[in-house]
Amino acid sequence: MDTPAAGGIVQAKGVTKRFGAHAAVDAVDFTLHENEVAGIIGSNGAGKTTFFNLITGYHRPDEGAILHKGVDITRMTPQQRVARGIMRTFQLTSTFDNLSVTDNLVLAFFRAYRESSLLDLLLNTCKRYRGEPRIDAALETFDLQEVRGRQARNLSLGEKRRLEIAMAVLVEPEVLLLDEPLAGLAESEIRGVLEVLEKHVGRRTILIVEHKISHVREFLQRLTVMHEGRIIASGSYEECLRHPEVRRSYWQIDIAAEDGHAA
Ligand SMILES: Nc1ncnc2c1ncn2[C@@H]1O[C@H](COP(=O)(O)OP(=O)(O)O)[C@@H](O)[C@H]1O
Ligand SMILES: [Mg+2]
C-alpha cells in the first residue's frame, strides 16, 4: 500500500553514485512535490544525468534511497518505475529512426503497458493501433499531424524532440522527467517544445534538467542548482542566483552571459 506523499511524490535521500573513486552524485537530498514544475541546472559534468538515472532506475545508488509516494523504489527496475508512473526522456533523442512518427507513438504506448516483444509489436501491433484515438490526440497535441507518416530519421531535431516527449506523455505518467529537452534546438523549435510542455503544467509533476536556464526560467516553479555532484542551492530563480556558492561556481558566468550582463 502506498502511503500519502507527505514527503513529496519523489524523494531522494542521501543518494550517492560513484564511478570508480569519483562521486558523480554525492549525498543528494531532493524532493519533488506533486504537480510542480521543477528544474535542475548545472554545468556539464555536474551530475544531472546521473541523478536522473538514479531516479529512473538506470543506476543503483551506492548509498541512499529513492522513494516514490513513500515507497522505497531504490531496487526497482526502470520498467517497474514506469509502471508506477515515472517516465523519462533521454538527453539524446531515443526514437526509432526507421519507423514513422505514428508507429513510434504506438510502440511507446504499448511498450509501457505490455510485456510483448518488440518484434511482435513491430509485426502486429503497429498496424492495428495506428488509428487509436489516443495516438491521434498525441499527434495533434504535439503538432505532429503533418509528419505522422514520415520516418523519424527524416524529422527535424525539433520535431524529433516533440515526438520523444509525446512518446513519454502518451503513457500518462504522473511524473515526467526530461533530460535537456531543449538541447541542440533552434530558437523556433524551443518555443514549439515549451508550448507542448506548458499544456501539462499543473496536471503532472515535471522535472527538467537543463544546462542553460534562460529558456525554462519562466516555466519553472522551483530551481535546484547542482555542482560537482552536490546540490548547492534550491529555491526561486532569484534565490539561486543570489546564493554565494552559485555565485562562486563558474555557473554564474553562464547565467550572466545568458542575461546579457557581466558576472
Ligand atoms: N557511466 C559512467 N561511467 C563513468 N563516469 C561517468 C558515467 N556517467 C557519468 N560519469 C561521470 O560523472 C560525472 C557526472 O556526469 P553527468 O551525470 O553526465 O553530468 P551532467 O548530466 O550534469 O552533465 C561526470 O564527471 C561524468 O564524466
Ligand atoms: Mg547530462
Side-chain angles (χ1 to χ4, degrees):
M1 266 294 284
D2 290 0
T3 47
I9 188 158
V10 174
Q11 218 183 348
K13 283 184 163 179
V15 287
T16 294
K17 176 66 190 173
R18 292 187 197 91
F19 295 111
H22 174 67
V25 171
D26 190 2
V28 165
D29 289 309
F30 181 79
T31 301
L32 196 56
H33 302 285
E34 196 154 5
N35 290 337
E36 78 170 336
V37 183
I40 297 180
I41 58 165
S43 49
N44 278 328
K48 306 179 301 293
T49 296
T50 304
F51 183 60
F52 248 55
N53 287 335
L54 290 170
I55 295 178
T56 51
Y58 288 86
H59 289 321
R60 292 267 165 88
D62 295 299
E63 283 152 38
I66 307 287
L67 281 78
H68 175 235
K69 294 181 172 175
V71 174
D72 191 328
I73 60 166
T74 317
R75 313 247 136 238
M76 287 187 189
T77 64
Q79 285 76 11
Q80 287 172 315
R81 297 179 203 214
V82 168
R84 292 183 64 89
I86 303 171
M87 192 73 203
R88 71 169 292 168
T89 66
F90 292 86
Q91 182 168 2
L92 301 170
T93 53
S94 53
T95 53
F96 296 95
D97 273 357
N98 295 325
L99 296 183
S100 73
V101 166
T102 303
D103 286 352
N104 266 283
L105 290 169
V106 171
L107 280 186
F109 190 60
F110 281 91
R111 282 185 86 184
Y113 290 113
R114 307 266 169 105
E115 290 292 314
S116 42
S117 74
L118 200 54
L119 187 65
D120 180 55
L121 280 173
L122 286 172
L123 294 178
N124 301 309
T125 313
C126 281
K127 275 197 203 101
R128 222 179 315 137
Y129 288 93
R130 273 176 198 152
E132 239 278 324
R134 284 207 260 182
I135 305 286
D136 275 342
L139 288 167
E140 193 185 328
T141 306
F142 290 88
D143 197 18
L144 291 165
Q145 276 165 319
E146 278 178 24
V147 294
R148 64 188 299 155
R150 195 175 295 173
Q151 283 189 353
R153 70 162 78 237
N154 296 322
L155 297 176
S156 71
L157 192 55
E159 289 164 342
K160 215 167 175 181
R161 200 59 57 72
R162 291 206 304 277
L163 169 59
E164 199 198 21
I165 297 168
M167 287 165 74
V169 167
L170 195 57
V171 183
E172 297 193 1
E174 270 187 317
V175 184
L176 182 60
L177 307 167
L178 302 157
D179 193 1
E180 299 208 26
L182 308 176
L185 297 187
E187 202 66 32
S188 56
E189 295 176 315
I190 286 175
R191 239 170 290 127
V193 169
L194 286 179
E195 272 166 24
V196 298
L197 281 177
E198 263 155 22
K199 293 179 183 167
H200 294 273
V201 171
R203 288 174 47 207
R204 66 188 83 239
T205 310
I206 302 176
L207 177 65
I208 297 182
V209 156
E210 267 300 323
H211 174 56
K212 296 221 161 187
I213 186 60
S214 56
H215 292 112
V216 283
R217 181 178 163 180
E218 310 280 293
F219 186 63
L220 299 177
Q221 294 159 353
R222 185 165 63 97
L223 193 62
T224 296
V225 185
M226 270 187 92
H227 185 61
E228 294 177 350
R230 293 179 309 113
I231 287 177
I232 57 171
S234 197
S236 69
Y237 177 82
E238 286 73 22
E239 279 170 329
C240 285
L241 269 198
R242 277 199 303 270
H243 197 283
E245 208 168 340
V246 175
R247 298 182 80 91
R248 264 200 304 277
S249 79
Y250 66 85
W251 241 101
Q252 177 63 10
I253 297 164
D254 278 11
I255 294 167
E258 286 192 42
D259 278 353
H261 51 73

